């Protein structure tokens, strides 16, 4: 993005710092759970299930979901490689603000490119970016096809569809790997909450 536009903009230190907000929340350490995986792999479903578990236990969270963000903040973006990069960059920045607010943030975006996920990781402090690889084989996603998108992509009605005619670069060292082909939604969600508990976020 153009850096000239930002030349005279100075970051304001807030009077209430992140540490103050974290202390006030008391019960949780903020972080982003960055879900990545193919369309239909289960990102939304599992992120929602994780959020329900967290909510029921009194934790403060917020879920940023692919389709919802594309209706608003990112409605000017399409699915070209360049716009996918910008899509993830913006979500990364928003997730950072929400972490700053003291929340456990869940993001459910395909985020197919390793480089973009790495850039978001670098935006966050150590241990505040938790990559969650929803590792579902393409064949399983295509069989589920919850939104009928694979059928359309195979018919050539959707271009640049991840896994079909646009690349998905799987994480090599995600903090959490979830195997949805062999575990139920509840098991997958519990695995993620257990990670948070074991690693001192809850
Ligand atoms: P994404 O957000 O990755 O595009 P969705 O969550 O929208 O994926 O869709 C995943 C689909 O797979 C849903 O219809 C869900 O019910 C189904 N599904 C079956 N088993 C699982 C599982 N173990 N985890 C997550 N989703 C599953």
């Amino acid at each position: 993005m153009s850096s000239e536009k930002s030349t005279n903009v100075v970051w304001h230190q807030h009077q209430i710092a992140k540490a103050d907000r974290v202390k006030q929340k008391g019960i949780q350490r903020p972080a982003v759970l960055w879900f990545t995986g193919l369309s239909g792999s289960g990102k939304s479903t599992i992120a929602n299930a994780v959020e329900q578990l967290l909510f029921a236990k009194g934790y403060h969270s917020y879920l940023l979901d692919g389709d919802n963000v594309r209706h608003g903040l990112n409605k000017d973006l399409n699915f070209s490689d360049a716009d996918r990069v910008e899509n993830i960059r913006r979500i990364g920045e928003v997730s950072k603000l929400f972490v700053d607010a003291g929340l456990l943030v869940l993001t459910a975006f395909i985020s197919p490119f390793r480089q973009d996920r790495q850039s978001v990781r670098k935006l966050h402090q150590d241990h505040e970016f938790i990559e969650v690889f929803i590792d579902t084989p393409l064949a399983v996603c295509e069989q589920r096809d919850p939104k009928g998108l694979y059928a359309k992509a195979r018919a050539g009605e959707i271009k640049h569809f991840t896994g079909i005619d646009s690349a998905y670069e799987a994480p090599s060292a995600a903090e959490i790997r979830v195997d949805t082909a062999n575990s139920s939604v509840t098991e997958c969600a519990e695995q993620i909450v257990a990670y948070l508990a074991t690693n001192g976020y809850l």
Side-chain angles (χ1 to χ4, degrees):
M1 297 302 286
S2 162
S3 53
E4 293 113 69
K5 282 186 190 160
S6 313
T7 312
N8 295 314
V9 179
V10 177
W11 183 265
H12 283 266
Q13 290 301 329
H14 295 182
Q15 295 302 313
I16 304 295
K18 179 179 180 182
D20 300 319
R21 280 186 277 269
V22 170
K23 201 169 161 197
Q24 189 184 51
K25 289 246 184 292
I27 59 167
Q28 66 188 51
R29 259 175 61 203
V32 56
L33 286 163
W34 189 277
F35 288 64
T36 174
L38 293 167
S39 178
S41 59
K43 300 180 296 298
S44 264
T45 304
I46 298 169
N48 271 287
V50 170
E51 202 181 25
Q52 279 179 290
L53 291 175
L54 294 175
F55 191 88
K57 292 179 179 170
Y59 297 109
H60 298 201
S61 64
Y62 197 79
L63 169 58
L64 290 164
D65 189 272
D67 288 347
N68 297 357
V69 169
R70 278 192 180 271
H71 279 128
L73 177 68
N74 290 355
K75 70 177 174 189
D76 56 322
L77 302 179
N78 62 34
F79 288 87
S80 67
D81 282 5
D83 276 11
R84 281 177 192 267
V85 171
E86 177 60 8
N87 184 45
I88 296 309
R89 190 194 70 79
R90 289 186 198 171
I91 307 307
E93 293 286 353
V94 171
S95 71
K96 187 177 176 186
L97 292 174
F98 281 16
V99 168
D100 197 54
L103 298 177
L104 286 161
V105 186
L106 303 94
T107 66
F109 301 87
I110 298 173
S111 42
F113 304 133
R114 201 170 287 133
Q115 173 68 50
D116 300 344
R117 297 192 301 266
Q118 191 56 28
S119 299
V120 178
R121 183 185 286 276
K122 283 200 207 126
L123 265 183
H124 288 85
Q125 291 182 12
D126 280 352
H127 306 299
E128 289 187 347
F129 181 87
I130 304 165
E131 194 170 14
V132 183
F133 179 25
I134 306 299
D135 189 4
T136 309
L138 176 63
V140 175
C141 296
E142 199 163 354
Q143 198 188 2
R144 289 180 185 163
D145 206 5
K147 298 173 202 152
L149 297 177
Y150 284 98
K152 285 190 183 168
R154 289 287 184 200
E157 290 167 29
I158 307 176
K159 297 283 175 218
H160 308 297
F161 198 76
T162 302
I164 307 295
D165 57 354
S166 184
Y168 178 76
E169 300 171 359
S172 47
E175 278 76 7
I176 306 175
R177 178 187 160 270
V178 174
D179 177 3
T180 77
N182 295 299
S183 320
S184 69
V185 173
T186 305
E187 286 168 340
C188 295
E190 284 172 348
Q191 178 192 345
I192 293 166
V193 173
Y195 176 93
L196 294 176
T198 306
N199 289 278
Y201 295 92
L202 307 183

